[in-house]
Amino acid sequence: MKPVKLVISGIGPYGERMPEIDFQVFDFNRPILIAGETGAGKTMLFDAICFALFDAASGSYRGTDSLRSEYAQPGTESYVEFTFAHQGRIYKIYRQPSYLRPLKRGTGFKLEKEKAVLYPGDDAPIEGIKAVNQAVQELLHVDEKQFKQLAMIAQGEFWGLLNARTEERTGILRHIFMTGGYKAMELQLRERRGRAIKEADVLERSLIQYFGEAEAEPGTPLAEEISQLQEQLQKSGGIGSLDEMLSLLARAIEADEPSERDLAEKIAAWQEVLQGLQKDFALAENNEHNLKKYNGLQKELAGLREQLAACAKQEGQLAEEEKALQEKIRSLRLRQEQLSAMPEKLAACQQEINALKELADRLGNLQSQQVPKYGRVKKRLAELREGLESAQSAHAAAMRARLDGEMQLERNRAGILAGKLAEGQPCPVCGSLAHPAPAGLPAKAVTEAEVKKLQQQEKKAEAERSRAAAEAAAALAELSTLDSQIGGYMLECLQAACWLEAVARGEALAMEIPAEAGLRQLYELVQLQRGQLAELLQGKEESARKIQAEVQKLRQAERDLAAAAGRETEAMQLKKQKMLQAREKIRTALADREGQLQLLAQLAGSCSEAELASYRAELQRKSREAGIELQKCQAEQGRIRHRRENNLNHREKIASRQDEFAAARHEAHIISRLYNLVSGQTGKGKLTLEQYIQAAGFDSIIRAANRRLLPMSDGQYELYRQEKELGNKSHTYLDLEVLDNYTGRRRPVRNLSGGESFKASLSLALGLSDKVSSELGGISMDALFIDEGFGTLDKKSIEKAMDILLKLSDSNKLVAIISHREELMEAVSQQIQVTKKRTGSSIAIELGK
């Protein structure tokens, strides 16, 4: 892995998006110095690279949740974009930490979630925190801790690099020296050994279980031998010899064969005895059965004869019932004929009733609505005539008052003119200059306004008189119309009523109506006819009810006739048929039983039922005794046969798996020896094959580290791998110790001072880097970052360390140093200068000469 470009935005002390750091412009044959005062953010460049790759900072005391810059503006995004080359391909990774930013609108904050995207060349991008982290680790073959040990010496962690435990170095060296296959081989051998041992144990337990079920005749020496071997196998849990087990089983099988033959002969003899007894018992049982059947048949014959007599009696009863049914049908048909005219009579009567009800409704309407309406109109006409007379009187009075008023007004006007006449002046009316008798003012004066009011009152009275005259004329016309309508309606009703009454009574017209009859005379005739129609309607309704009762009797007769001619006749025929069938069946059974009785009389013999029962009981007793003896022999035979078959079965199983068991034992032995060899369990030393190979490779790394440490420490120190505890604790085989050539003694590396630890750590990191570059392993690391380790060195040590770093030019490896020491700033011309400001730090590139 070699850095190509780095972009930082809103991270740590960098409040804005920093200019792109293009590592390709630097000369990788010379180291790069990242310079700046304390707190400017030099280490943040390493943090950004480590965060981009592994979602973690480079130091032990920095977390990713505090990467958001305090100087960043609300609109500035916080992210790191890191481009690097690896095994001939270019990769770019974008990673954004989670942080809170102010809302664009309103108050409050919004949480920006963590993001990560890996762009692997021309391939599709990989998105998501877990997916990117896994892809980076698979690509570089190291995790975050291993990466720090290979490519970074972070501030304050030199001691940790130098004093890393064997378990931590094992993971790195496994990728460098490709020893994972040896570890996988060890795990596979362990799994295969366990499987082989388990298979052999399962087979062995099965064989022991098979033999554990072996049996021999109790109390015999052979049974004792088998029991002793079974106890021995249960205690030891292991099989000594399968041949001994098979031999004992064969002897047990052979010992049971004579006993089984003897029991087979006894069983055959007892079975023959039982067969003879069963034949005798069957014969006795058959005779007893025939006797019981003979007695039963006699009873059955008596019953059949009684049934036949019952059938004859039933036949006579059915004949009487059939005769009664035919008489019933004849009677119903006669009644049906007698009542057949009733429906037509009922319809005619109902028609007359409907006509009478309709006429009654019309007469009721005449009396309840039309006649009262005629009265109301007549009364209203009288009232309107009275009103008209009153209006005429009022109009005549108003006209007289208006005429009197007009005459009075004229007299008033003459008196007024006469009052203004003077002697010698002409009269405005006649022109006379002399006025001997001028007119005087009347006692009551009338004004023009009062005259106009009288005129208006006259007009109003005239209008009221005209209205009253029009209403009276309209009422008179309405009364005349009603008179004509009601008279015609009453005449029509009376004619209809007379006709209906005549029809109902079968007479001629009941009443003659005078042609010149007036409205009152017609109304009196209607009242008379209405009462007669009510009596007639009541009589007709009573007749209809009687006719309806006769119709119901007709319908019931029709239903009864249908039932009698259909269902009842059919039931009668069915009864008759069943009776005949039963009689025939009884006659057939009677003939059959009589034949059987004759045959059984010959078979039953002369023995009684009591004698036959006693003989059968004796046979049953002998059969039970013989059965018990037979069961004893069969049980003993079954026990011996089961034991022999069980022993045969187990012997076959043991013999069939003898070769399989030997092969499983052999395989478990071979695999166990091979696993013990690979896992380091063959002697005193407990070093596995992988550990042995890693230890040899780590020795070469230590030799490469000592080539830097000896000149850097003026020949005082050399690193060595601990070996004094080899064979006791394999987990310390990669631990380091240092040889002090000034004293000739070895001591733990943790006892070195700060400056000495840095020198040793730097030497170890460079040696490890050299080994990675030279080995064709899974790890490719072309960068080394050193953070503030030179602060513990004096000037002379710095010069020696720089000489070693400058000699790395042949490897084309990027070596970056972060420090604020002036000696380094003067010695290293390629610099990334970090400047601390109030608004946040900035970055500048200085390539030098």
Side-chain angles (χ1 to χ4, degrees):
M1 191 282 294
K2 181 182 292 184
V4 177
K5 293 179 182 179
L6 177 66
V7 177
I8 301 177
S9 175
I11 297 293
Y14 304 104
E16 300 177 352
R17 184 186 185 280
M18 293 294 102
E20 180 182 80
I21 300 176
D22 188 355
F23 291 99
Q24 296 178 106
V25 302
F26 293 106
D27 182 4
F28 283 6
N29 293 326
R30 294 181 293 156
I32 301 170
L33 177 66
I34 301 176
E37 59 182 302
T38 302
K42 304 183 295 297
T43 305
M44 183 53 66
L45 299 180
F46 299 118
D47 287 342
I49 293 174
C50 196
F51 169 67
L53 290 174
F54 299 102
D55 193 19
S58 63
S60 300
Y61 306 103
R62 293 187 179 94
T64 59
D65 55 351
S66 59
L67 291 177
R68 171 71 173 177
S69 175
E70 296 179 355
Y71 303 102
Q73 296 297 317
T76 302
E77 296 181 358
S78 293
Y79 66 88
V80 174
E81 189 176 272
F82 180 51
T83 306
F84 60 94
H86 184 69
Q87 295 180 348
R89 295 185 67 183
I90 300 297
Y91 298 85
K92 182 171 73 174
I93 186 169
Y94 172 91
R95 198 180 289 271
Q96 171 186 295
S98 60
Y99 62 91
L100 293 173
R101 67 165 180 82
L103 294 173
K104 295 180 180 179
R105 295 181 180 179
T107 60
F109 294 87
K110 178 183 178 182
L111 176 64
E112 293 289 347
K113 296 183 179 180
E114 188 176 359
K115 299 178 183 177
V117 183
L118 175 63
Y119 301 91
D122 296 332
D123 296 340
I126 300 172
E127 300 183 14
I129 306 300
K130 292 183 179 180
V132 171
N133 291 348
Q134 182 178 355
V136 170
Q137 187 166 342
E138 291 175 355
L139 179 67
L140 301 181
H141 297 290
V142 292
D143 57 20
E144 176 251 336
K145 291 184 178 180
Q146 295 167 344
F147 177 76
K148 286 163 57 177
Q149 291 180 343
L150 288 172
M152 286 188 181
I153 306 178
Q155 182 176 356
E157 296 185 2
F158 307 107
W159 188 90
L161 175 65
L162 188 65
N163 291 274
R165 298 172 60 186
T166 293
E167 291 82 355
E168 298 174 356
R169 290 199 178 100
T170 298
I172 299 173
L173 298 180
R174 181 172 291 143
H175 290 291
I176 294 175
F177 301 115
M178 294 184 292
T179 62
Y182 300 107
K183 184 64 178 178
M185 181 194 302
E186 178 186 343
L187 295 176
Q188 289 180 3
L189 285 173
R190 183 174 66 184
E191 181 182 357
R192 188 173 176 185
R193 181 197 63 167
R195 191 165 57 248
I197 292 175
K198 183 178 180 180
E199 290 177 359
D201 289 344
V202 169
L203 278 172
E204 190 169 29
R205 286 195 299 271
S206 297
L207 295 174
I208 292 174
Q209 182 179 359
Y210 294 152
F211 187 76
E213 296 174 358
E215 296 179 273
E217 186 64 28
T220 62
L222 180 58
E224 183 65 23
E225 290 183 51
I226 292 175
S227 178
Q228 289 178 357
L229 183 56
Q230 287 173 341
E231 291 178 4
Q232 180 182 345
L233 291 172
Q234 290 296 329
K235 290 179 180 179
S236 64
I239 297 174
S241 173
L242 285 176
D243 293 336
E244 182 181 3
M245 296 163 59
L246 292 171
S247 175
L248 288 173
L249 285 169
R251 289 168 58 193
I253 294 167
E254 185 178 355
D256 284 333
E257 290 177 354
S259 299
E260 191 174 358
R261 285 194 299 270
D262 293 342
L263 287 169
E265 293 175 358
K266 290 181 180 180
I267 290 171
W270 280 114
Q271 285 176 343
E272 187 176 354
V273 171
L274 274 174
Q275 287 176 359
L277 290 171
Q278 287 172 356
K279 288 180 180 178
D280 294 341
F281 183 81
L283 181 60
E285 191 175 38
N286 187 46
N287 290 335
E288 185 179 7
H289 172 73
N290 290 334
L291 183 59
K292 287 182 178 180
K293 193 172 182 181
Y294 177 83
N295 295 333
L297 280 174
Q298 285 183 331
K299 294 180 181 179
E300 188 176 355
L301 279 171
L304 288 172
R305 291 188 181 98
E306 291 177 0
Q307 292 177 14
L308 189 61
C311 284
K313 184 178 180 181
Q314 185 182 10
E315 185 177 6
Q317 292 175 351
L318 286 176
E320 291 296 328
E321 291 178 3
E322 186 176 11
K323 182 179 180 181
L325 180 61
Q326 293 299 325
E327 180 61 25
K328 179 181 179 182
I329 292 172
R330 188 192 64 78
S331 176
L332 288 171
R333 284 176 179 169
L334 178 61
R335 185 167 182 77
Q336 183 181 20
E337 291 175 0
Q338 292 172 350
L339 297 174
S340 59
M342 288 297 109
E344 293 182 2
K345 288 183 179 182
L346 180 63
C349 184
Q350 190 64 46
Q351 186 176 3
E352 293 177 12
I353 290 172
N354 293 336
L356 288 170
K357 286 183 177 179
E358 182 182 357
L359 181 57
D361 291 341
R362 293 177 66 187
L363 293 175
N365 177 63
L366 177 64
Q367 184 175 4
S368 63
Q369 296 184 12
Q370 296 187 29
V371 171
K373 182 178 180 182
Y374 180 84
R376 289 193 299 273
V377 172
K378 187 175 181 180
K379 181 180 179 182
R380 183 166 171 268
L381 178 60
E383 292 174 350
L384 288 174
R385 283 176 175 173
E386 291 178 1
L388 177 60
E389 292 176 359
S390 177
Q392 288 174 345
S393 300
H395 176 256
M399 185 174 64
R400 288 193 298 270
R402 191 251 316 159
L403 292 173
D404 293 343
E406 288 178 349
M407 292 177 63
Q408 187 66 34
L409 180 62
E410 290 298 327
R411 287 194 292 270
N412 288 347
R413 287 174 180 169
I416 291 170
L417 288 175
K420 294 180 180 180
L421 290 177
E423 291 296 330
Q425 292 181 350
C427 176
V429 178
C430 63
S432 173
L433 296 176
H435 312 292
L441 288 171
K444 183 179 179 182
V446 177
T447 63
E448 291 184 2
E450 290 176 343
V451 172
K452 288 182 178 180
K453 184 176 180 181
L454 291 172
Q455 291 173 350
Q456 290 176 354
Q457 289 176 351
E458 182 187 7
K459 289 180 180 180
K460 184 177 179 182
E462 173 62 22
E464 184 65 23
R465 183 190 65 78
S466 298
R467 182 192 61 76
E471 289 180 353
L476 181 60
E478 183 181 2
L479 184 64
S480 177
T481 302
L482 283 174
D483 187 279
S484 175
Q485 289 178 350
I486 293 173
Y489 188 80
M490 286 193 291
L491 185 59
E492 181 182 349
C493 289
L494 286 172
Q495 290 174 350
C498 292
W499 181 82
L500 285 173
E501 185 178 358
V503 170
R505 293 179 178 176
E507 302 173 355
L509 289 177
M511 181 186 297
E512 291 185 3
I513 303 170
E516 66 279 2
L519 191 62
R520 178 177 294 278
Q521 185 180 1
L522 290 174
Y523 182 70
E524 292 175 354
L525 292 174
V526 165
Q527 291 292 96
L528 177 61
Q529 193 64 41
R530 188 178 179 190
Q532 295 175 352
L533 285 176
E535 293 178 1
L536 184 60
L537 178 61
Q538 184 177 1
K540 282 294 178 182
E541 287 179 342
E542 180 64 27
S543 298
R545 284 194 290 272
K546 292 179 180 179
I547 296 172
Q548 180 66 37
E550 294 299 317
V551 170
Q552 290 178 355
K553 291 178 181 179
L554 173 64
R555 298 292 178 252
Q556 183 62 43
E558 289 174 347
R559 289 193 293 271
D560 293 344
L561 179 60
R567 186 177 63 255
E568 293 181 14
T569 301
E570 184 179 352
M572 177 61 66
Q573 295 298 327
L574 183 61
K575 281 183 181 180
K576 190 175 181 181
Q577 183 180 1
K578 286 183 177 179
M579 184 274 298
L580 294 174
Q581 290 176 350
R583 185 180 64 182
E584 187 62 27
K585 186 176 180 181
I586 292 170
R587 287 175 177 175
T588 303
L590 190 60
D592 179 67
R593 299 305 185 272
E594 288 174 349
Q596 291 182 20
L597 189 64
Q598 293 176 2
L599 180 61
L600 287 173
Q602 299 173 2
L603 294 175
S606 59
C607 294
S608 65
E609 289 188 17
E611 292 173 341
L612 288 173
S614 176
Y615 179 61
R616 284 180 61 252
E618 179 65 18
L619 291 176
Q620 287 177 342
R621 183 186 64 76
K622 293 180 179 179
S623 295
R624 283 196 298 272
E625 292 175 354
I628 291 171
E629 294 299 326
L630 177 62
Q631 289 176 358
K632 289 180 180 179
C633 293
Q634 287 175 336
E636 182 66 14
Q637 183 191 42
R639 185 181 66 81
I640 296 174
R641 180 179 295 171
H642 177 267
R643 182 174 65 202
R644 188 170 65 85
E645 290 177 352
N646 187 54
N647 290 335
L648 278 169
N649 184 37
H650 291 328
R651 186 183 68 173
E652 290 175 0
K653 288 182 178 178
I654 293 173
S656 65
R657 308 196 75 173
Q658 187 174 9
D659 295 339
E660 182 183 358
F661 175 61
R665 263 188 170 181
H666 179 71
E667 182 179 1
H669 175 69
I670 296 298
I671 297 298
S672 296
R673 288 189 59 190
L674 186 58
Y675 171 73
N676 293 336
L677 179 65
V678 173
S679 61
Q681 301 182 33
T682 56
K684 294 182 179 180
K686 295 184 179 179
L687 205 62
T688 67
L689 180 59
E690 183 190 26
Q691 292 170 344
Y692 176 80
I693 295 172
Q694 286 187 353
F698 191 46
D699 288 343
S700 64
I701 293 174
I702 294 173
R703 288 194 293 272
N706 286 334
R707 288 197 295 270
R708 271 86 173 184
L709 182 58
L710 280 170
M712 207 182 309
S713 63
D714 291 332
Q716 182 178 2
Y717 296 116
E718 286 184 86
L719 295 174
Y720 285 91
R721 182 172 56 81
Q722 287 187 7
E723 295 181 353
K724 63 181 180 179
E725 295 183 350
L726 184 62
N728 295 324
K729 295 182 180 180
S730 61
H731 59 273
T732 61
Y733 73 100
L734 294 180
D735 288 0
L736 288 174
E737 60 184 5
V738 64
L739 171 64
D740 190 341
N741 289 318
Y742 291 176
T743 63
R745 294 183 177 181
R746 294 188 182 188
R747 55 191 171 99
V749 292
R750 61 178 176 271
N751 293 337
L752 293 174
S753 64
E756 292 169 342
S757 294
F758 174 72
K759 294 176 186 179
S761 299
L762 179 60
S763 300
L764 185 61
L766 294 175
L768 187 59
S769 180
D770 289 346
K771 196 62 180 175
V772 169
S773 300
S774 62
E775 293 288 338
L776 297 177
I779 301 176
S780 176
M781 201 61 60
D782 295 326
L784 179 63
F785 302 101
I786 305 169
D787 185 5
E788 293 290 6
F790 293 90
T792 58
L793 302 182
D794 54 23
K795 186 175 182 180
K796 182 178 180 182
S797 296
I798 290 176
E799 292 175 354
K800 292 180 179 179
M802 287 303 300
D803 289 340
I804 292 174
L805 293 176
L806 289 172
K807 290 179 182 179
L808 294 174
S809 59
D810 293 339
S811 62
N812 195 27
K813 182 188 297 290
L814 184 147
V815 179
I817 305 167
I818 179 168
S819 179
H820 60 276
R821 293 289 294 268
E822 295 181 0
E823 296 90 336
L824 292 174
M825 296 176 67
E826 294 174 358
V828 181
S829 58
Q830 296 186 123
Q831 297 183 8
I832 299 175
Q833 297 176 351
V834 182
T835 304
K836 184 178 181 181
K837 301 178 182 179
R838 282 182 172 271
T839 58
S841 300
S842 61
I843 296 174
I845 306 298
E846 180 66 38
L847 297 178
K849 297 180 180 180

